[in-house]
Amino acid sequence: MWLKPEEVLLKNALKLWLMERSNEYFVLQRRRGYGEEGGGGLTGLLVGTLDSVLDSTAKVAPFRILHQTPDSQVYLSIACGANREEITKHWDWLEQNIMKTLSVFDSNEDITNFVQGKIRGLIAEEGKDSFAKEDDPEKFREALLKFEKSFGLPEQEKLVTYYSCSYWKGRVPCQGWLYLSTNFLSFYSFLLGSEIKLIISWDAISKLEKTSTVILTESIHVCSQGEDHYFSMFLHINETYLLMEQLANYAIKRLFDKETFDNDPVLDDPLQITKRGLEYRAHSEQFKAFFRLPKEETLKEVHECFLWVPFSHFSTHGKMCISENYICFASQDGNLCSVIIPLREVLAVDKTDDSNRSVIISIKGKTAFRFNEVKDFEQLVAKLRLKCRAASTQCDVSTEVAISSDATGQCDHFEEQALTCPKECSKTVNTEALMTVFHPQNLENLDSKMLKEKMKEQSWNILFSECGRGVSMFRTKKTRDLVVRGIPETLRGELWMLFSGAVNDMATNPGYYAEVVEQSLGTCNLATEEIERDLRRSLPEHPAFQSDTGISALRRVLTAYAYRNPKIGYCQAMNILTSVLLLYAKEEEAFWLLVAVCERMLPDYFNRRIIGALVDQAVFEELIRDHLPQLTEHMTDMTFFSSVSLSWFLTLFISVLPIESAVNVVDCFFYDGIKAILQLGLAILDYNLDKLLTCKDDAEAVTALNRFFDNVINKDSPLPSNVQQGSNIDEKSSHTKVDITDLIKESNEKYGSIRYEDIHSMRCRNRLYVIQTLEETTKQNVLRVVSQDVKMNLQELDELYVIFKKELFISCYWYLSCPGLKHHDPSLSYLEQYQIDCQQFRVLYHLLSPWAHSANKDSLALWTFRLLDENSDCLINFKEFSSAIDIMYNGSFTEKLKLLFKMHIPPAYTEVMSKTSSKGDELSTEELLYFSQLQVSKHTDEKETESGRNTPEKGKGKIDIQAYLSQWQDELLKKEENIKDLPRMNQSQFIQFSKTLYNLFHEDPEEESLYQAIAVVTNLLLRMEEVGRKLHSPTSSAKGFSGTACDSGSREGNAYSNMEKGSSSPREEHQWSFAFEQILASLLNEPALVRFFERPLDLKARLENVKSSQLRSRTKV
């Protein structure tokens, strides 16, 4: 590797380096201790230790080239190499390209300048395609070389960053280097001859956390496949931990959580990940989550400044964050003040001439925001003006949705969009919230509750007059206080839209909902069937959902969302949430609120595996341990909290609280996000702490909590008594009534200190655990099913599954569009979730099969794959894969022979010939995939009707139970397959079968006797066939066979080359063929053949060897 020329003093370096080559201008040196027998003695050990520990050029490579000029004591390092071959290549290049040129220069100074310029040019040329795009390219290049040299990973493996740290091996810390790459966490240490090398794939990590103990003040704990690893003594432990967390979650999303990853185009290409990119992405995600912006937004600029708050008459210090379409501000503590300004609302951007360096942004509604002390404010104003022009152009082109953003207008005056449905001719999209239709407020009859409601409205109107109204209002501590008290009924829909960010989605997508409703009408799939089933179960006690108006609106919103996002489609609990949204928001608003909840505020909650809800349950358990330790000590099994709280998270407490109380919780959720739900959950457990501590079992605890929920009331709710669920509570009941407002206030006072950043970190940490737990469940279910059909023990099966899955992942590590990821679908049955293609099967076949030493091993792998791929989709699952491996190792003589026989007849067998003659029997990846797909194209028409009849539809289509039963019955019949049912093997197939046997016997201890045995069997079979054919045709043309294969001592060439000669006659009335029983009976007569196939094979040792060499062998491939 060429290095940026740097001065090196040789006076003190001679003891560490040995000269290998030199000329007038260059010196090639070798590091002492490298390439010497015995490691160079004590000096070599010390040098190796220094190289590992110290951060210097010398630590990287054992070879280097220096540039020297006559009569100078100063040398320049210009190249280094990890091995002699690499450094020799550089040396030869210098001699061939540089040495002759240097003789034309008159002075040593000119020579040095020329060499420096040339080397820098070479580095720049290399850097065009280099992965290293870091702050210090030279240092990173050195680390990259050390990384490649130490671990031998493929060159596509992208090093992201590296850190100096200690790895704790028992109680002893080993100083070394931690390398974080796209797919692996790697550590290398070399101390006094002791080398430690650790490679952990990110997808194998189940726990990643920062810990501190008595010995380790601060360390990073990594748990992988049941093994614990501790790293400490970092210079920047927080930075290191965050990058590790991001890389681990990226790998988990990419390999396990396909649903989420498909929606994340930023991380599509693993080769483009850099440290700076990850840091930028983390800030951008935090920015979008805090301000509830659309997922398409990315953080572009951040400026520290002061925002003038007119109603408080002071400037608050914070950060101005700018994205493509928004200008946002948050004060330093986050809660004091925040503002969101959509560029579509901006009328002008101005600057002041005074020394305050101010930027003034004027928006619709006669409102202006003044940002002071802005660095580079003139350039910022110019940029913002360009952005505003672009935004206004877009607004002119698109049809604007009239969402009022000024201090006087109201957000509930959206443009009404009527859509006539073909199916429901008289029905249109509702333009009013259901609550206003079914419970209009009676202004003439103002009871005490209505008076309180009017007072709440007045409080909000005062806030609007001070802070503004609409999307660009100031959000302050006073705003939160009013939300905690409960939002008035008339303002609820407007403020939910505002706080959730749904108002921005709706404004930037005018007419979208009407289009989706029209397109989704009449669709029929699994999602729509489930929606129809649950429509009448959504708030059935509410009058709005006892009428066709409410039911139709609910159907349209849910169906439209399922059409918009088929990956989620429909999940139970969405109906309950949507029904509440429809009560307070117009139909189109309810749709966008649902989008905000499902896609931003509760990510991954409503997919098939509800991963998001499971993650937040794990976060909730962690918070219980921190804040309610006495409850944790009492409850021996923490899973109780998971089971009881799942409905809390999925329905935002709507399913457990009376509707009039639940809407107050939804108010807080739209303002504070999941933090509000976690806080309320802790407050509920704290309120019931004494009762829970006296409970003897889970059932008693559940009863206590249900009784508590039944007694939660909202004493200020203006809803009619026939709607309020809490109004039916017996007033004389001995149980204490709890007001929801008091409960929410208490949750904020006691647990308001929980920070968004902490919740995000806990979510990332627990996501690893949750997904790995789900994967472990998948594995156990697969093993339970497969173990019934194989002779392997559970431990061997477990190890085989790990190898199978690992190969699938390894093949996905360095490729953008991997079939393994494309076909991974967590919604399928456990067996079908992970499937491998022919190329991946070939790699595993070479690693695991006892027949992999055969010269035609690629052909054998291909035929085995085609045999296992019964449904011709060019993929096989673990059950199919393990069945073949089990026969190869544990099968009887008959079973092994039957497997070989079936591999040499259709549909498995196909003529194979490599296009590259120099490779012999080896097949390229393209050839392998081509041959594996031959059967699909050939028999598609024949199998179309059959597959349509027998294979149940996958994914979200309609499930055909009869098809599943038919498929199950077919599988049972397959187990009873009789050898008499096997088709006969024709002459070309038999010739290839014989060749395969010869290849299998190669280099066997009994090779000679096996060759003789197979020749005898071949001769016997041909004679039998000849007799049979003479009975049918006395003038048979197969006379040539009887004499050619008789030589019992014939070697491989004679036996099957003579058969080929006989089979090549141009016309044969009756082609000869063999039944499996004939071949089996003939082979059973040869003891050498029986001994070969019945020889016990050590599968356990083979699995152990493959586990340790799988990554290494893949690297070679």
Side-chain angles (χ1 to χ4, degrees):
M1 182 175 76
W2 299 109
L3 299 175
K4 180 182 175 184
E6 289 184 354
E7 290 187 359
V8 174
L9 289 172
L10 288 189
K11 186 177 179 182
N12 299 320
L14 289 173
K15 295 177 182 178
L16 300 177
W17 292 91
L18 300 174
M19 188 180 298
E20 295 232 326
R21 292 192 196 181
S22 68
N23 57 38
E24 191 177 356
Y25 298 107
F26 299 102
V27 179
L28 192 158
Q29 296 180 329
R30 172 174 55 82
R31 190 76 163 161
R32 190 181 292 275
Y34 290 92
E36 298 177 17
E37 290 187 13
L42 181 60
T43 307
L45 283 178
L46 290 172
V47 171
T49 300
L50 283 171
D51 291 351
S52 177
V53 174
L54 297 180
D55 183 13
S56 65
T57 305
K59 82 176 192 301
V60 176
F63 297 94
R64 70 178 182 180
I65 296 175
L66 306 179
H67 166 60
Q68 64 174 353
T69 53
D71 307 322
S72 174
Q73 293 296 315
V74 178
Y75 288 68
L76 296 173
S77 64
I78 59 171
C80 66
N83 51 55
R84 197 180 300 276
E85 182 184 357
E86 182 184 359
I87 205 70
T88 303
K89 195 183 294 181
H90 285 1
W91 179 267
D92 292 342
W93 189 90
L94 289 170
E95 286 192 327
Q96 293 166 16
N97 297 278
I98 298 291
M99 285 297 293
K100 294 176 184 177
T101 310
L102 296 182
S103 60
V104 303
F105 292 102
D106 297 328
S107 69
N108 291 338
E109 188 177 349
D110 290 341
I111 291 172
T112 302
N113 289 337
F114 175 78
V115 171
Q116 285 181 311
K118 191 66 182 174
I119 298 302
R120 286 195 177 99
L122 290 171
I123 292 172
E125 191 65 30
E126 283 181 353
K128 285 181 182 177
D129 302 317
S130 171
F131 291 148
K133 298 175 183 175
E134 302 298 321
D135 296 330
D136 189 348
E138 278 306 312
K139 208 169 179 183
F140 191 83
R141 278 162 59 84
E142 293 174 14
L144 182 60
L145 183 68
K146 179 72 178 289
F147 173 68
E148 291 171 350
K149 170 179 172 275
S150 301
F151 303 105
L153 295 170
E155 60 181 15
Q156 299 102 313
E157 181 61 16
K158 171 79 168 59
L159 178 63
V160 176
T161 189
Y162 62 101
Y163 298 96
S164 174
C165 70
S166 290
Y167 171 63
W168 289 79
K169 197 171 183 183
R171 291 174 173 255
V172 181
C174 305
Q175 185 65 27
W177 293 89
L178 180 71
Y179 298 91
L180 307 182
S181 59
T182 311
N183 299 295
F184 300 98
L185 177 156
S186 313
F187 178 83
Y188 182 82
S189 173
F190 183 85
L191 291 169
L192 298 176
S194 174
E195 184 182 56
I196 295 175
K197 194 182 292 186
L198 182 71
I199 302 178
I200 302 172
S201 58
W202 293 117
D203 57 82
I205 293 176
S206 57
K207 185 181 285 187
L208 180 65
E209 60 184 354
K210 278 193 297 183
T211 60
S212 69
T213 60
V214 177
I215 301 173
L216 304 174
T217 51
E218 256 193 322
S219 64
I220 295 176
H221 172 213
V222 177
C223 181
S224 170
Q225 296 176 344
E227 294 184 13
D228 293 308
H229 307 276
Y230 292 89
F231 303 90
S232 67
M233 301 185 192
F234 290 95
L235 191 60
H236 304 290
I237 190 167
N238 289 331
E239 175 193 296
T240 310
Y241 176 73
L242 286 173
L243 280 171
M244 290 170 73
E245 190 176 68
Q246 281 184 283
L247 286 166
N249 273 287
Y250 157 69
I252 289 291
K253 279 186 178 182
R254 182 166 183 253
L255 298 172
F256 295 126
D257 195 7
K258 182 171 175 282
E259 293 164 312
T260 309
F261 186 80
D262 280 356
N263 294 326
D264 197 352
V266 181
L267 292 176
D268 266 353
D269 187 355
L271 299 182
Q272 298 305 316
I273 295 178
T274 62
K275 176 185 173 185
R276 189 180 300 170
L278 287 171
E279 290 171 347
Y280 164 75
R281 176 180 168 78
H283 292 146
S284 192
E285 291 294 323
Q286 190 178 3
F287 160 72
K288 283 189 289 187
F290 183 82
F291 292 108
R292 309 275 166 75
L293 298 180
K295 60 184 179 182
E296 295 80 16
E297 297 297 310
T298 53
L299 180 62
K300 296 296 183 184
E301 296 179 52
V302 178
H303 299 272
E304 281 204 27
C305 60
F306 289 85
L307 173 63
W308 174 249
V309 185
F311 52 88
S312 299
H313 303 291
F314 76 95
S315 292
T316 178
H317 181 244
K319 290 183 179 178
M320 179 198 293
C321 304
I322 301 171
S323 67
E324 291 89 344
N325 299 296
Y326 296 87
I327 303 167
C328 304
F329 176 88
S331 56
Q332 272 193 323
D333 64 358
N335 294 323
L336 186 62
C337 180
S338 66
V339 170
I340 301 170
I341 308 172
L343 291 179
R344 65 179 182 271
E345 298 290 323
V346 176
L347 297 174
V349 180
D350 300 301
K351 60 182 177 180
T352 57
D353 297 327
D354 57 23
S355 58
N356 288 336
R357 296 180 294 176
S358 301
V359 176
I360 299 174
I361 299 174
S362 304
I363 66 169
K364 298 171 186 176
K366 300 178 182 179
T367 305
F369 297 91
R370 178 172 176 153
F371 299 92
N372 300 322
E373 302 298 329
V374 183
K375 190 179 178 182
D376 301 326
F377 72 106
E378 291 181 344
Q379 293 92 320
L380 178 60
V381 167
K383 287 179 187 175
L384 291 178
R385 283 174 177 169
L386 285 173
K387 280 180 173 286
C388 290
R389 284 194 205 105
S392 62
T393 304
Q394 289 175 3
C395 287
D396 291 340
V397 172
S398 62
T399 306
E400 283 191 67
V401 177
I403 303 175
S404 177
S405 315
D406 58 86
T408 56
Q410 293 202 16
C411 268
D412 60 345
H413 296 299
F414 291 105
E415 181 183 350
E416 296 185 2
Q417 298 178 4
L419 172 71
T420 306
C421 305
K423 196 175 180 181
E424 301 171 308
C425 302
S426 60
K427 303 290 188 294
T428 58
V429 171
N430 289 348
T431 55
E432 285 187 302
L434 294 178
M435 194 62 79
T436 60
V437 176
F438 288 88
H439 307 295
Q441 290 189 3
N442 187 356
L443 298 177
E444 296 178 1
N445 182 21
L446 292 177
D447 56 14
S448 60
K449 289 185 178 180
M450 284 304 300
L451 284 172
K452 283 186 179 180
E453 186 74 3
K454 289 299 173 186
M455 289 172 63
K456 279 187 188 179
E457 287 181 28
Q458 187 61 30
S459 299
W460 278 96
N461 287 329
I462 293 169
L463 179 76
F464 292 149
S465 65
E466 292 178 352
C467 302
R469 186 169 187 170
V471 70
S472 298
M473 71 181 287
F474 284 89
R475 303 174 197 207
T476 63
K477 187 176 182 300
K478 188 176 179 182
T479 314
R480 178 193 296 277
D481 293 339
L482 288 177
V483 170
V484 168
R485 285 169 54 189
I487 297 175
E489 300 278 312
T490 55
L491 296 175
R492 195 160 260 144
E494 173 189 343
L495 294 176
W496 283 0
M497 289 288 288
L498 185 66
F499 296 143
S500 66
V503 64
N504 294 315
D505 293 321
M506 184 168 164
T508 52
N509 294 280
Y512 176 87
Y513 176 66
E515 290 175 17
V516 174
V517 168
E518 189 173 12
Q519 291 166 2
S520 63
L521 277 175
T523 57
C524 183
N525 52 39
L526 185 60
T528 56
E529 286 185 8
E530 290 177 347
I531 289 169
E532 287 298 325
R533 190 170 61 242
D534 288 347
L535 285 176
R536 304 284 173 182
R537 303 174 186 172
S538 310
L539 299 185
E541 66 286 340
H542 197 285
F545 298 101
Q546 294 168 0
S547 73
D548 190 53
T549 305
I551 293 293
S552 297
L554 183 59
R555 178 188 291 113
R556 285 192 295 270
V557 172
L558 291 174
T559 306
Y561 186 79
Y563 184 84
R564 165 192 166 86
N565 192 342
K567 285 182 188 272
I568 291 179
Y570 171 76
C571 177
Q572 281 192 335
M574 285 171 70
N575 61 318
I576 297 172
L577 176 61
T578 308
S579 58
V580 172
L581 298 178
L582 282 166
L583 288 177
Y584 294 98
K586 300 170 187 175
E587 189 175 316
E588 185 178 5
E589 295 172 2
F591 171 79
W592 287 113
L593 283 168
L594 185 63
V595 169
V597 171
C598 294
E599 297 175 16
R600 284 202 307 273
M601 300 186 72
L602 296 178
D604 305 337
Y605 260 61
F606 301 101
N607 58 24
R608 298 178 183 97
R609 297 189 291 175
I610 58 169
I611 288 174
L614 297 175
V615 169
D616 281 344
Q617 282 184 295
V619 171
F620 187 51
E621 287 180 18
E622 200 171 324
L623 291 171
I624 292 171
R625 291 189 195 96
D626 293 341
H627 295 278
L628 300 170
Q630 62 273 50
L631 190 58
T632 308
E633 292 167 9
H634 176 71
M635 306 296 286
T636 53
D637 186 6
M638 290 294 285
T639 55
F640 162 75
F641 298 110
S642 298
S643 59
V644 79
S645 65
L646 181 61
S647 62
W648 302 359
F649 291 100
L650 281 173
T651 66
L652 308 178
F653 285 95
I654 296 170
S655 62
V656 292
L657 287 173
I659 182 66
E660 65 275 11
S661 300
V663 290
N664 283 37
V665 178
V666 179
D667 294 342
C668 296
F669 167 74
F670 280 124
Y671 192 84
D672 271 332
I674 194 61
K675 179 175 180 280
I677 305 300
L678 293 168
Q679 287 176 183
L680 184 61
L682 289 172
I684 289 168
L685 293 179
D686 188 25
Y687 191 93
N688 292 278
L689 185 60
D690 294 337
K691 293 177 184 174
L692 291 172
L693 290 176
T694 58
C695 292
K696 296 176 183 177
D697 54 34
D698 291 355
E700 197 175 337
V702 170
T703 303
L705 288 172
N706 287 339
R707 191 175 294 123
F708 167 79
F709 287 128
D710 290 339
N711 286 278
V712 174
I713 61 170
N714 185 351
K715 60 186 180 184
D716 296 331
S717 174
L719 291 178
S721 57
N722 66 324
V723 173
Q724 291 191 35
Q725 296 171 351
S727 63
N728 300 323
I729 298 172
D730 185 4
E731 294 293 333
K732 298 178 181 179
S733 171
S734 59
H735 298 290
T736 309
K737 305 292 182 295
V738 182
D739 187 66
I740 187 64
T741 307
D742 297 335
L743 193 61
I744 292 173
K745 281 181 183 174
E746 188 177 336
S747 73
N748 272 278
E749 289 167 5
K750 283 192 174 183
Y751 307 108
S753 58
I754 298 171
R755 302 186 312 150
Y756 292 104
E757 295 83 355
D758 295 334
I759 292 173
H760 175 72
S761 180
M762 285 189 281
R763 272 179 159 179
C764 289
R765 185 165 63 246
N766 285 290
R767 188 181 191 84
L768 295 175
Y769 170 76
V770 165
I771 290 185
Q772 292 290 11
T773 303
L774 290 172
E775 289 298 308
E776 183 63 25
T777 303
T778 299
K779 182 176 82 170
Q780 295 304 327
N781 281 291
V782 169
L783 297 186
R784 189 178 68 249
V785 172
V786 174
S787 62
Q788 300 170 10
D789 299 325
V790 296
K791 296 175 184 175
M792 282 182 268
N793 59 47
L794 273 177
Q795 185 183 354
E796 291 171 341
L797 206 56
D798 189 303
E799 290 180 4
L800 187 65
Y801 181 87
V802 170
I803 292 168
F804 174 87
K805 187 170 156 187
K806 188 70 178 174
E807 178 55 38
L808 178 65
F809 285 176
I810 289 174
S811 64
C812 299
Y813 281 163
W814 304 289
Y815 304 104
L816 218 57
S817 56
C818 172
L821 292 181
K822 205 178 290 181
H823 297 294
H824 175 222
D825 187 352
S827 69
L828 297 178
S829 65
Y830 291 120
L831 277 173
E832 303 299 323
Q833 285 187 24
Y834 291 109
Q835 300 181 87
I836 58 174
D837 62 18
C838 195
Q839 167 62 12
Q840 294 155 350
F841 177 80
R842 172 170 66 172
V843 175
L844 287 173
Y845 184 90
H846 289 181
L847 288 170
L848 287 164
S849 174
W851 303 336
H853 64 275
S854 172
N856 65 334
K857 59 185 178 183
D858 277 3
S859 298
L860 290 179
L862 170 66
W863 297 331
T864 309
F865 179 85
R866 287 167 60 88
L867 177 65
L868 298 173
D869 182 23
E870 293 182 1
N871 61 354
S872 302
D873 64 351
C874 298
L875 295 168
I876 63 168
N877 60 36
F878 179 71
K879 183 178 181 181
E880 294 160 339
F881 171 76
S882 60
S883 66
I885 298 297
D886 187 59
I887 291 173
M888 291 177 192
Y889 280 90
N890 301 320
S892 64
F893 175 81
T894 305
E895 288 170 332
K896 290 178 182 178
L897 196 65
K898 182 178 169 185
L899 176 63
L900 281 169
F901 182 88
K902 290 171 75 174
M903 284 161 55
H904 290 81
I905 59 174
Y909 180 75
T910 182
E911 293 285 346
V912 175
M913 188 170 291
S914 175
K915 295 175 185 175
T916 313
S917 57
S918 60
K919 289 187 175 182
D921 291 318
E922 189 178 336
L923 298 173
S924 67
T925 303
E926 292 76 18
E927 290 168 341
L928 192 72
L929 295 175
Y930 167 74
F931 287 125
S932 70
Q933 294 167 3
L934 272 183
Q935 187 182 13
V936 179
S937 58
K938 186 176 179 182
H939 298 289
T940 300
D941 297 334
E942 299 171 22
K943 296 193 175 186
E944 207 167 62
T945 53
E946 186 183 345
S947 62
R949 186 175 64 251
N950 294 333
T951 307
E953 199 173 329
K954 292 181 180 179
K956 286 196 163 287
K958 194 171 180 179
I959 297 175
D960 188 347
I961 303 299
Q962 292 297 325
Y964 270 113
L965 292 173
S966 175
Q967 188 181 23
W968 181 47
Q969 188 176 12
D970 290 344
E971 287 177 1
L972 290 176
L973 291 172
K974 281 177 198 170
K975 293 180 182 178
E976 301 169 10
E977 181 186 53
N978 196 307
I979 59 174
K980 292 180 180 178
D981 300 328
L982 293 173
R984 296 174 70 86
M985 181 181 280
N986 67 30
Q987 59 191 38
S988 63
Q989 294 159 6
F990 181 71
I991 291 169
Q992 185 57 60
F993 178 73
S994 303
K995 285 183 181 180
T996 298
L997 291 177
Y998 275 109
N999 287 327
L1000 291 181
F1001 303 150
H1002 185 57
E1003 294 185 353
D1004 190 89
E1006 296 187 62
E1007 183 178 5
E1008 194 68 34
S1009 58
L1010 286 167
Y1011 283 149
Q1012 292 176 0
I1014 200 63
V1016 170
V1017 168
T1018 305
N1019 176 49
L1020 177 62
L1021 287 168
L1022 290 171
R1023 285 182 178 278
M1024 289 167 58
E1025 184 61 23
E1026 184 183 1
V1027 171
R1029 291 183 65 197
K1030 282 180 178 179
L1031 292 174
H1032 290 91
S1033 174
T1035 59
S1036 174
S1037 60
K1039 292 177 182 178
F1041 288 108
S1042 60
T1044 54
C1046 293
D1047 182 10
S1048 63
S1050 65
R1051 294 288 296 185
E1052 179 183 352
N1054 289 334
Y1056 61 73
S1057 65
N1058 287 330
M1059 284 191 287
E1060 286 175 318
K1061 288 176 186 175
S1063 65
S1064 61
S1065 54
R1067 294 183 66 184
E1068 292 184 85
E1069 294 178 10
H1070 295 70
Q1071 284 219 354
W1072 49 271
S1073 61
F1074 300 109
F1076 176 70
E1077 301 101 301
Q1078 292 176 290
I1079 296 175
L1080 176 63
S1082 303
L1083 291 174
L1084 280 170
N1085 287 326
E1086 297 297 326
L1089 292 172
V1090 175
R1091 281 196 304 273
F1092 175 82
F1093 283 108
E1094 291 192 341
R1095 187 183 302 154
L1097 300 169
D1098 192 348
L1099 176 59
K1100 186 177 180 182
R1102 188 62 170 259
L1103 291 171
E1104 285 297 325
N1105 181 52
V1106 171
K1107 278 172 69 179
S1108 61
S1109 63
Q1110 189 174 10
L1111 182 60
R1112 202 162 52 245
S1113 64
R1114 185 74 194 190
T1115 301
K1116 292 173 185 173
V1117 173

